[in-house]
Amino acid sequence: MKILVCVTSVPDTTAKISFTDGDTKFNKAGVTYITGPYDDYALSRAVELKEKLGGTVTVLNVGEADSEQVIRKCLAIGADDAIRVNCEPKDSYFTATQIATIAAQENYDLILMGRESIDFNSGVVHGLVGEMLGIPSLSPVMKLEIDGTTAKMTREIEGGKEDIEASLPLVLGCQEPIAEWKIPNMRGIMTARTKPLKVVEPVGEDLTVTEKFTLPAPKGACKMIAAENAEELIALLRTEAKVL
Amino acid sequence: MSVIIFTEIDNGALKKSSLEAVYYGVEVAKMKGSTATVLAIGEASEAELAKAGSFGATKVLHANDARLATGNIQAYSDVLASAVAQEGSEVVILAKSSLGDAVAARLAGKLKASIVSNVTELPDLSGGFKVTRSIYTGKAFATVEMKSDKKIIAIKKNAVSVVESGASASVESFSPALKDSDFAVKVTGTHKASSSISLPEADLVVSAGRGLKGPENWGIVEDLANALGAATACSKPVSDLDWRPHHEHVGQTGIKVSPNLYIAAGISGAIQHLAGVNSSKVIVVINKDPEAPFFKAADYGIVGDVFDILPRLTKAVKAL
């Protein structure tokens, strides 16, 4: 089983979002970067499958040099080697092009990633990669078992889930509860330092350009209703907020 | 320069989010001085599809091959690509959903199209083609220029205020050739909750957290939701504890919703939960702790015991 896991380096879920340079750049000051939470699930499942079936797990990050701490953590969790495509991932098509270019050089049985990155939330890179490679893509996958060359999966759909079977190779966008998050142990952290990390340059170009960022308008004060008059809420929702 | 709108059929009817996409697509076509075509895949009556006309569409292409009954991502994206080719479309519009995202992504790969998701407003065509999208799970917005000839836009709920006209659209059968390789993925079972209102589609949502103390107490949440015609939702701890199914979990790592009304009962409002609901139009928070951070993000708040307040609200709604 040869698995490629694509990971993002993203601001921590509690990070305060702000911008600099006339609202054209994300303000990284004071922000902690983490592995994308969905990518963490993909990586954990990949390591579980490797432990069960043998094979290798390669981590791929499309990102700048400062994402190497996230890559090292993935290696500490159990990936064997890593590739970083040296660029800022700003556009879905461009990012997918980098992944498909790397993936086309090896015969991966599975290409796993999170259902979406938590910075841009597009959730389209897995589909783009699948199309670029000419293989099926599925997301969000919440259960994955491998039986020979067949993958048996459960995918979340609106209001429920569906069971799916498909032959490898596949591109999958993952989410909980596909695996338990793994935490690196001391031995993992020590060995991660010497595992191979290859840096390659990107190909192609962005199809979209972000001109500026804005923050949502601040919320007005919360109108408090005394518990003994709770029924008033329904009237206010109808006459004032006009949502009922 | 035409616009095509990819719509989804659920239980023989066009999804509400898809009809919003139709309206959005027709508005974009008007801005470009062009025409809009709707593509609908799956089983639905002609009368049902003609309803797209009330949202501005004049023509609906209906692909109804028996093999397209389940939402097959590869086959649907091939059908959409064929429709784009037939109509000479430059812009593709759809409502964000798990199927829509997947189909749109593969289409982008086929067409070398720029793709922008979570779009919150109509585009600005005054200099280039610019759209505004929600990013950082609703914590910010980005204005993005789409530079390629072909453009794909996945809209977020409430991206446009719909005005229905009551008109109807003409429906044409559409039967592009399908490849066997499109059907390599087999859906072997579908498990859908019996509740009729889908959470991502819902205008009104009643959500509850650990303050409800246990799954056996969800009756009071469901009663209020039923009285309002709302969908039910929950916080992450509730889904992690298996009190409620995962598809009801809203937040940073769950479903992101933007309904007209979000009522949160017994949810303290961790930043990760707020990320999933902060684009709701009106937020109501009911919590016994006056210091609960959720009150800072709310429009209306009640400090009180959910076991007392929820049944009283249900009664008040029924009295309307």
Side-chain angles (χ1 to χ4, degrees):
Chain A
M1 181 77 28
K2 215 170 147 56
I3 308 175
L4 182 68
V5 182
C6 309
V7 300
T8 54
S9 169
V10 289
D12 175 41
T13 53
T14 59
K16 189 156 171 53
I17 305 297
S18 65
F19 302 99
T20 60
D21 294 26
D23 286 335
T24 58
K25 278 203 167 61
F26 180 74
N27 183 6
K28 291 183 172 181
V31 172
T32 308
Y33 278 75
I34 57 166
T35 313
Y38 297 114
D39 310 331
D40 245 340
Y41 286 114
L43 174 67
S44 298
R45 188 63 189 137
V47 171
E48 285 174 4
L49 288 171
K50 181 185 91 164
E51 284 166 357
K52 200 169 140 195
L53 306 167
T56 57
V57 174
T58 299
V59 164
L60 171 60
N61 169 258
V62 180
E64 295 175 297
D66 53 10
S67 56
E68 289 201 2
Q69 54 129 349
V70 157
I71 298 172
R72 288 289 170 202
K73 192 181 163 209
C74 296
L75 292 169
I77 283 171
D80 300 285
D81 61 340
I83 304 164
R84 180 172 68 83
V85 183
N86 187 31
C87 57
E88 189 185 350
K90 292 180 288 191
D91 173 68
S92 301
Y93 192 95
F94 173 79
T95 304
T97 302
Q98 310 318 317
I99 296 169
T101 303
I102 300 288
Q105 294 163 12
E106 298 276 347
N107 290 314
Y108 293 105
D109 299 296
L110 279 172
I111 300 169
L112 305 184
M113 61 189 82
R115 65 174 291 175
E116 65 187 45
S117 69
I118 65 160
D119 48 6
F120 290 140
N121 312 107
S122 293
V124 295
V125 169
H126 29 74
L128 276 159
V129 171
E131 185 63 35
M132 288 170 178
L133 295 173
I135 59 177
S137 53
L138 290 160
S139 177
V141 175
M142 52 203 298
K143 195 173 162 217
L144 167 65
E145 297 294 339
I146 303 295
D147 182 1
T149 57
T150 302
K152 294 182 177 175
M153 296 156 285
T154 303
R155 185 175 90 92
E156 187 162 86
I157 54 174
E158 271 89 39
K161 49 196 178 180
E162 62 186 14
D163 303 323
I164 298 178
E165 277 186 33
S167 294
L168 303 176
L170 294 169
V171 183
L172 307 179
C174 304
Q175 74 169 27
E176 62 185 343
I178 195 166
E180 293 272 341
W181 273 349
K182 288 189 184 300
I183 296 160
N185 57 27
M186 192 46 78
R187 191 169 161 271
I189 293 166
M190 299 302 285
T191 55
R193 290 180 189 164
T194 53
K195 285 179 178 173
L197 193 172
K198 190 167 80 176
V199 178
V200 299
E201 292 305 315
V203 294
E205 56 182 6
D206 287 334
L207 300 188
T208 58
V209 176
T210 298
E211 280 199 337
K212 71 171 175 26
F213 297 104
T214 42
L215 291 169
K219 199 91 179 166
C222 176
K223 191 169 199 166
M224 297 306 293
I225 298 157
E228 56 271 26
N229 304 325
E231 290 80 1
E232 248 177 47
L233 171 71
I234 302 302
L236 286 169
L237 291 176
R238 189 164 221 206
T239 56
E240 190 178 82
K242 298 189 168 49
V243 289
L244 291 186
Chain B
M1 296 286 272
S2 85
V3 174
I4 197 154
I5 303 118
F6 170 79
T7 59
E8 293 178 49
I9 293 170
D10 188 29
N11 276 325
L14 286 167
K15 281 172 66 172
K16 209 169 138 190
S17 53
S18 290
L19 289 168
E20 193 179 320
V22 169
Y23 190 86
Y24 184 103
V26 171
E27 290 296 306
V28 174
K30 282 186 199 159
M31 291 164 85
K32 292 173 71 79
S34 174
T35 56
T37 304
V38 171
L39 172 68
I41 306 174
E43 207 176 313
S45 69
E46 195 176 321
E48 186 55 45
L49 297 176
K51 285 182 187 165
S54 190
F55 297 80
T58 48
K59 183 166 91 174
V60 177
L61 297 178
H62 185 206
N64 192 19
D65 188 299
R67 289 187 294 172
L68 297 171
T70 55
N72 180 315
I73 292 161
Q74 280 171 285
Y76 276 38
S77 62
D78 268 347
V79 172
L80 178 54
S82 301
V84 167
Q86 177 185 302
E87 300 294 310
S89 311
E90 275 197 346
V91 180
V92 179
I93 307 289
L94 67 145
K96 192 170 168 64
S97 77
S98 64
L99 177 66
D101 288 351
V103 170
R106 294 200 74 106
L107 182 73
K110 288 178 206 295
L111 303 179
K112 198 177 178 186
S114 50
I115 178 165
V116 180
S117 188
N118 282 313
V119 170
T120 57
E121 290 168 29
L122 283 166
D124 171 5
L125 307 187
S126 58
F129 194 111
K130 292 173 193 168
V131 291
T132 300
R133 66 186 298 198
S134 160
I135 55 170
Y136 295 106
T137 324
K139 288 181 227 162
F141 298 95
T143 306
V144 180
E145 182 173 8
M146 303 179 78
K147 297 206 305 181
S148 55
D149 294 341
K150 305 271 188 196
K151 301 166 182 74
I152 304 176
I153 298 172
I155 63 167
K156 200 168 168 165
K157 186 177 159 65
N158 281 331
V160 66
S161 303
V162 172
V163 182
E164 288 190 57
S165 69
S168 47
S170 69
V171 180
E172 289 175 21
S173 178
F174 183 61
S175 314
L178 296 166
K179 300 190 292 249
D180 286 342
S181 62
D182 282 345
F183 300 93
V185 172
K186 303 260 179 272
V187 176
T188 54
T190 304
H191 317 274
K192 266 196 148 178
S194 52
S195 86
S196 50
I197 300 160
S198 123
L199 179 57
E201 297 265 295
D203 285 330
L204 311 173
V205 175
V206 180
S207 186
R210 259 184 307 191
L212 267 286
K213 296 193 166 72
E216 67 280 7
N217 297 325
W218 239 258
I220 56 172
V221 179
E222 284 165 346
D223 286 346
L224 178 58
N226 288 340
L228 286 166
T232 53
C234 69
S235 64
K236 180 167 162 62
V238 164
S239 148
D240 286 349
L241 288 163
D242 261 339
W243 292 1
R244 300 297 291 176
H246 186 268
H247 65 255
E248 284 198 2
H249 156 209
V250 293
Q252 179 105 41
T253 55
I255 311 260
K256 286 87 181 169
V257 294
S258 46
N260 294 335
L261 173 63
Y262 184 82
I263 299 179
I267 302 177
S268 62
I271 192 164
Q272 293 91 339
H273 184 78
L274 296 183
V277 306
N278 54 12
S279 47
S280 307
K281 273 191 189 158
V282 174
I283 295 178
V284 173
V285 170
I286 304 160
N287 205 297
K288 66 172 194 282
D289 176 9
E291 301 298 320
F294 214 155
F295 285 116
K296 288 200 175 68
D299 299 282
Y300 297 96
I302 301 176
V303 177
D305 178 5
V306 293
F307 292 97
D308 165 47
I309 306 283
L310 288 184
R312 283 169 54 205
L313 293 180
T314 304
K315 217 171 143 190
V317 171
K318 283 182 176 164
L320 283 177

